[in-house]
Amino acid sequence: MCGDCGCSGENGSRRLAVERDLLAANAGAAAANRAFFAERGILALNLVSSPGSGKTSILERTIAEFAGTVPVAVIEGDQQTANDAERIERAGARAVQVNTGSGCHLDARMVADAVAGLDPAPGSVVFIENVGNLVCPAMFDLGEAAKVAIVSVTEGEDKPEKYPYMFRAASLCLINKTDLLPHLDCDPARLRQSGLAVNPGLEFIELNAKTGQGFSSWLDWIGRERRRVAG
Amino acid sequence: MHELSLACEIVDLACETAAREGAAAVETIELEVGLLSGVMADALVFGFEAACRGTIAEDARIELEPVPGRGECRACGRVFSLDAFLVKCPGCGAAGVEVSGGDVLRIKAITVR
Ligand SMILES: Nc1nc2c(ncn2[C@@H]2O[C@H](COP(=O)(O)OP(=O)(O)OP(=O)(O)O)[C@@H](O)[C@H]2O)c(=O)[nH]1
Ligand SMILES: [Mg+2]
Ligand SMILES: [Zn+2]
């Protein structure tokens, strides 16, 4: 290659510097979402897990617990159907369903559109239920304050080590369906160890979305994060 | 797969840059891919082959530069490069390893004619 202009000297090829991040567009939209949430003192949480870990069930109970005290809005991401948004509305919160079609994750632009439709109240909590998938959502910043990974006890103790990107990106891990422990060989202590191996700062709360066991710790955690965003 | 949406961004960025410079075709695309970015290089190239069809980057070759992460052992202080999420220090075997970098996903340059 010619040192002066970058041309190959043979067939007129030129080398052009680009130096652009592939996720730059998403990062820009995520920063705008984050600024929007910060301005209104809104706590936005990005809920990530494998399909069926209990995300919507946890949200239904959380909404019931917060009824009349904390305004809640929910963005529901699924490849298809509006089932989860309907469940959330029946539980008493406002919801927008985002269908990603063949897409495997929500991105920050989808969340920006959904937030514009929801117009969440200042001081509210916005839950973003991501598409059930422990791989892709780890890469896409949505502008949330924190990612909350949910793992149910039926999924195996070593889930965090199998999906390290997600558990590294999360701040809190909810261990759900603890009512099923008597039927399984799952030791929640081993699950915690696996999480700490990939993310030494990860926090854990054991939950049972059927009975509400553990919800006081989860609600306290949300309260702490709300005070943090309120400044 | 998110690799396909990333591949579309690669094609868009490459074609945009080439068109701005009045080029007729993109010949190569130089990419930096972090080994801890969660992106599979094979899937990215596969996605690119689908995404580039009918664009001026249709015949472009992808040149991948893998970028490792950096690990630092909290117990013995050893610093080493990481090509995967390793949970134990290769020196002393301790589990507390501080991981940084290795998550870049970047188009460095393209060649056009
Ligand atoms: N036993 C038990 N079942 C639960 C618990 N939480 C959720 N489930 C059940 O698990 C199934 C899936 O729950 P959902 O809340 O729909 O899970 P999800 O993570 O929202 O699922 P997707 O949105 O499809 O990924 C349902 O049959 C729930 O009733 C729990 O704590 N204990
Ligand atoms: Mg759901
Ligand atoms: Zn060491």
Side-chain angles (χ1 to χ4, degrees):
Chain A
M1 195 196 298
C2 136
D4 294 332
C5 66
C7 80
S8 69
E10 298 145 25
N11 56 0
S13 296
R14 288 176 291 153
R15 183 170 181 277
L16 305 172
V18 182
E19 299 292 352
R20 296 265 297 270
D21 284 331
L22 291 185
L23 292 171
N26 188 72
N33 291 346
R34 192 162 276 123
F36 174 92
F37 294 136
E39 242 164 56
R40 296 175 190 219
I42 292 170
L43 173 67
L45 297 173
N46 182 359
L47 271 50
V48 292
S49 80
S50 334
S53 65
K55 298 179 290 300
T56 311
S57 306
I58 290 169
L59 286 179
E60 287 169 323
R61 190 174 275 278
T62 305
I63 290 161
E65 297 276 355
F66 278 154
T69 58
V70 180
V72 174
V74 179
I75 298 169
E76 276 291 342
D78 285 293
Q79 287 198 321
Q80 289 186 23
T81 85
N83 296 351
D84 282 1
E86 286 161 11
R87 282 172 63 185
I88 294 298
E89 284 181 339
R90 278 198 297 276
R94 299 204 313 157
V96 175
Q97 181 78 47
V98 180
N99 285 135
T100 58
S102 63
C104 47
H105 59 268
L106 291 174
D107 67 35
R109 281 168 290 200
M110 299 175 191
V111 168
D113 290 345
V115 165
L118 270 181
D119 191 22
S124 60
V125 180
V126 172
F127 292 104
I128 305 166
E129 181 179 333
N130 219 314
V131 179
N133 174 352
L134 276 175
V135 183
C136 313
M139 296 186 56
F140 290 85
D141 182 9
L142 305 178
E144 72 273 0
K147 287 189 176 72
V148 177
I150 295 129
V151 57
S152 57
V153 295
T154 56
E155 296 174 44
E157 298 161 337
D158 54 355
K159 204 87 196 209
E161 282 159 289
K162 286 178 173 164
Y163 297 92
Y165 297 94
M166 186 58 88
F167 288 88
R168 191 184 170 204
S171 307
L172 172 68
C173 175
L174 299 176
I175 302 175
N176 191 35
K177 309 195 188 181
T178 51
D179 54 305
L180 300 178
L181 282 170
H183 309 284
L184 305 164
D185 288 327
C186 174
D187 177 359
R190 294 252 323 111
L191 212 160
R192 286 172 187 244
Q193 266 171 24
S194 176
L196 291 173
V198 296
N199 180 357
L202 191 60
E203 294 182 71
F204 299 87
I205 296 172
E206 289 176 29
L207 280 189
N208 178 347
K210 281 235 138 64
T211 64
Q213 213 181 347
F215 269 69
S216 60
S217 306
W218 162 232
L219 300 178
D220 286 349
W221 187 90
I222 297 172
R224 196 188 79 198
E225 295 301 307
R226 285 185 77 212
R227 285 190 293 279
R228 207 203 295 272
V229 299
Chain B
M1 290 296 291
H2 60 268
E3 274 89 351
L4 183 58
S5 48
L6 292 176
C8 293
E9 277 197 66
I10 295 172
V11 173
D12 288 350
L13 278 173
C15 291
E16 233 172 67
T17 310
R20 207 170 40 231
E21 296 285 330
V26 182
E27 295 179 327
T28 55
I29 300 175
E30 295 169 46
L31 290 179
E32 288 178 320
V33 177
L35 292 172
L36 306 183
S37 68
V39 163
M40 264 180 62
D42 287 353
L44 195 62
V45 173
F46 186 72
F48 176 79
E49 282 164 11
C52 68
R53 279 198 204 117
T55 72
I56 59 169
E58 175 138 30
D59 298 315
R61 198 178 64 249
I62 299 264
E63 287 175 7
L64 285 174
E65 185 191 321
V67 180
R70 176 182 181 278
E72 183 172 349
C73 175
R74 269 187 280 258
C76 74
R78 184 177 166 131
V79 173
F80 44 95
S81 87
L82 293 174
D83 59 3
F85 274 108
L86 177 126
V87 288
K88 291 195 170 65
C89 168
C92 72
V97 173
E98 202 76 62
V99 180
S100 57
D103 53 359
V104 67
L105 282 174
R106 204 169 164 72
I107 298 199
K108 250 172 77 178
I110 58 176
T111 8
V112 299
R113 66 175 149 71

